[in-house]
């Protein structure tokens, strides 16, 4: 009898309108205008609103209506009073007020912040932290943590099937792909997997053609790329080739001699791949299989130098690097891509535009990786 009563109550809730006297499609338009930081208030109104906020339906409606905005997330060391202590990493967030704040620490690592060397990816308005090292024991982790900006809290996702460190990672559509890296014995890997946030499950993919430790993950034309890397964890010689996984054919394809310099970071944007090498931004011409200089990093006392992490959204690159005047501090710049991607050697008029993001003395720590979340 109890089971029947619960089923009847759930059906009753699902049949109730989101807002009395309004069709659900109109109500969804109204609710999609509520900013994410206020979603926690919606969960207290009724069960149907709570279920809506906890699903991806509200995000999908916000995106469809053009009500989303982009939030920059940095895996960044927090300021410390005792410089002899190891750094504690958290996620630094540039919010809609264009000010910096920190996400709460993962509950399991409240004292330590976040796993070291973990990877960040964004799917359906959520931030996902994949793998890394236990900051207290340096144990390699298979863990997955998902941050909901609506509830402002972390949830545990399904573990990665394999243990791997320094792997390629990127989001394509509704999936997060991981590939390569090395295992606990320091052996380079060719294996790959993908995570489905909606089902909280992993799928083992076909192996890559080549072992790739410390390879770089990027997305181009809805295909996941694993670029360069090393055959062994000794890092004697980097791999010049790359591979991309096609979700339709479910197979890997090689790109021979794709890269001849070891880049600091690679990202896809506006139908192209971009890399950072030394002080230059390089753009990849897929038809010619070569990289050409597009622009240079900001110079002077307010500029940045490698090492760098890079992410993107729309036609913008988000570049984080060490300050030119203080190598212990990191700053972030937006690079607005030119409408016509002519290279520097062709025309200086076609360079992009650099824009410095706000500076806060509490958010200048060492940055390991970055990610942009659409909310």
């Amino acid at each position: 009898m109890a089971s029947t009563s619960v089923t009847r109550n759930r059906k009753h809730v699902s049949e109730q309108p989101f807002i009395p006297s309004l069709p659900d499609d109109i109500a969804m338009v109204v609710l999609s205008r509520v900013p994410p930081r206020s979603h926690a208030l919606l969960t207290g109104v009724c069960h149907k609103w709570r279920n809506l906020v906890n699903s991806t339906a509200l995000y999908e409606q916000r995106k469809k209506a053009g009500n989303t905005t982009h939030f920059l997330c940095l895996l960044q060391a927090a300021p410390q009073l005792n410089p002899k202590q190891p750094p504690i990493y958290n996620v630094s967030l540039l919010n809609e007020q264009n000010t910096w704040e920190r996400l709460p620490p993962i509950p399991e690592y409240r004292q330590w912040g976040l796993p070291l060397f973990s990877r960040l990816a964004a799917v359906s308005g959520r931030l996902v932290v994949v793998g890394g090292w236990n900051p207290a024991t340096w144990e390699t982790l298979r863990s997955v943590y998902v941050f909901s900006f609506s509830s402002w809290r972390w949830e545990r996702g399904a573990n990665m099937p394999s243990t791997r460190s320094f792997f390629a990672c990127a989001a394509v559509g509704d999936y997060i792909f991981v590939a390569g890296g090395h295992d606990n014995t320091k052996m380079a890997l060719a294996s790959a997997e993908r995570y489905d946030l909606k089902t909280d499950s992993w799928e083992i993919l076909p192996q890559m053609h080549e072992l790739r430790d410390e390879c770089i993950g990027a997305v181009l034309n809805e295909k996941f790329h694993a670029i360069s890397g090393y055959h062994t964890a000794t890092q004697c010689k980097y791999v010049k080739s790359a591979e991309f996984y096609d979700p339709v054919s479910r197979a890997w394809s090689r790109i021979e001699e794709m890269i001849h310099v070891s880049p600091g970071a690679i990202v896809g944007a506006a139908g192209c791949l971009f890399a950072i090498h030394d002080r230059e931004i390089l753009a990849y011409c897929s038809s010619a299989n070569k990289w050409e200089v597009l622009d240079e990093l900001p110079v002077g006392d307010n500029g940045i130098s490698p090492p760098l992490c890079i992410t993107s959204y729309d036609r913008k690159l988000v570049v984080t690097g060490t300050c030119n005047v203080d190598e212990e501090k990191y700053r972030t710049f937006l690079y607005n891509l030119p409408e016509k991607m002519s290279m520097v050697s062709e025309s200086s008029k076609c360079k992009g535009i650099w824009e410095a993001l706000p500076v806060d003395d509490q958010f200048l720590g060492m940055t390991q990786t970055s990610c942009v979340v659409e909310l």
Side-chain angles (χ1 to χ4, degrees), residues 140 163 182-189 233:
T140 305
T163 300
H182 64 257
D183 62 18
N184 285 337
T185 66
K186 305 299 182 183
M187 292 294 295
L189 300 171

Side-chain angles (χ1 to χ4, degrees), residues 41 43 107 122 138 183 188 228 232 240 257 298 315 317 326 344:
L41 298 175
T43 62
W138 286 22
D183 62 18
S228 191
T232 68
K240 295 181 179 180
E257 299 293 321
R315 294 186 60 84
L317 307 183
D326 189 342
V344 171

Side-chain angles (χ1 to χ4, degrees), residues 125-170:
R126 286 171 168 79
L127 177 68
V128 184
V129 175
V130 185
W133 295 359
N134 185 310
T137 65
W138 286 22
E139 171 195 3
T140 305
L141 302 172
R142 296 189 297 125
S143 57
V144 173
Y145 295 93
V146 181
F147 187 78
S148 168
F149 292 86
S150 296
S151 63
W152 203 248
R153 66 182 183 186
W154 294 96
E155 297 178 356
R156 186 68 183 264
N159 283 348
M160 284 192 295
S162 305
T163 300
R164 63 181 75 232
S165 297
F166 297 100
F167 50 89
C169 178

Side-chain angles (χ1 to χ4, degrees), residues 219-221 223 225 227 242 244 254-259 268-274 282-292 341 343:
V219 180
L220 178 64
N221 299 326
K223 296 179 177 62
H225 287 61
I227 302 170
F244 63 86
R254 285 174 60 93
I255 306 174
E256 301 292 350
E257 299 293 321
M258 180 183 182
I259 198 155
C272 189
L273 290 178
F274 299 90
L282 309 178
Y284 178 66
C285 177
S286 57
S287 59
N289 191 27
K290 68 177 184 178
W291 298 83
E292 295 200 37
M341 273 269 245
M343 303 307 158

Side-chain angles (χ1 to χ4, degrees), residues 6-176:
V6 169
T7 302
R8 187 181 299 113
N9 288 337
R10 287 177 178 172
K11 184 177 180 181
H12 176 71
V13 167
S14 66
E15 291 176 350
Q16 292 295 311
F18 283 116
I19 300 176
S21 304
L22 275 182
D24 273 0
D25 56 344
I26 303 299
M28 281 291 285
V29 172
V30 174
L31 293 174
S32 71
R33 296 179 179 273
V34 179
R37 290 296 294 268
S38 299
H39 286 179
L41 298 175
L42 301 182
T43 62
V45 175
C46 63
H47 288 292
K48 189 163 185 176
W49 283 27
R50 183 178 63 188
N51 294 338
L52 175 66
V53 170
N54 291 334
S55 71
T56 60
L58 190 55
Y59 161 77
E60 291 166 355
Q61 176 64 35
R62 285 173 53 79
K63 186 172 182 178
K64 180 181 178 182
N67 294 329
T68 57
T69 187
H70 294 91
F71 292 72
L72 172 63
C73 297
L74 305 179
L75 182 58
Q76 187 177 60
Q80 291 181 249
L81 297 177
N82 185 355
K84 294 183 179 180
Q85 291 182 341
I88 296 176
Y89 285 85
N90 293 103
V91 174
S92 299
L93 173 74
L94 188 64
N95 58 34
E96 65 267 43
Q97 284 81 37
N98 216 28
T99 59
W100 292 97
E101 62 180 314
R102 284 192 180 85
L103 299 190
I106 291 174
E108 292 181 40
Y109 303 104
R110 188 170 300 279
Q111 181 182 356
W112 301 97
L114 265 72
L116 299 172
F117 309 116
S118 52
R119 300 297 191 241
L120 302 183
V123 178
S124 300
R126 286 171 168 79
L127 177 68
V128 184
V129 175
V130 185
W133 295 359
N134 185 310
T137 65
W138 286 22
E139 171 195 3
T140 305
L141 302 172
R142 296 189 297 125
S143 57
V144 173
Y145 295 93
V146 181
F147 187 78
S148 168
F149 292 86
S150 296
S151 63
W152 203 248
R153 66 182 183 186
W154 294 96
E155 297 178 356
R156 186 68 183 264
N159 283 348
M160 284 192 295
S162 305
T163 300
R164 63 181 75 232
S165 297
F166 297 100
F167 50 89
C169 178
V172 184
D174 295 330
Y175 297 95
I176 295 173

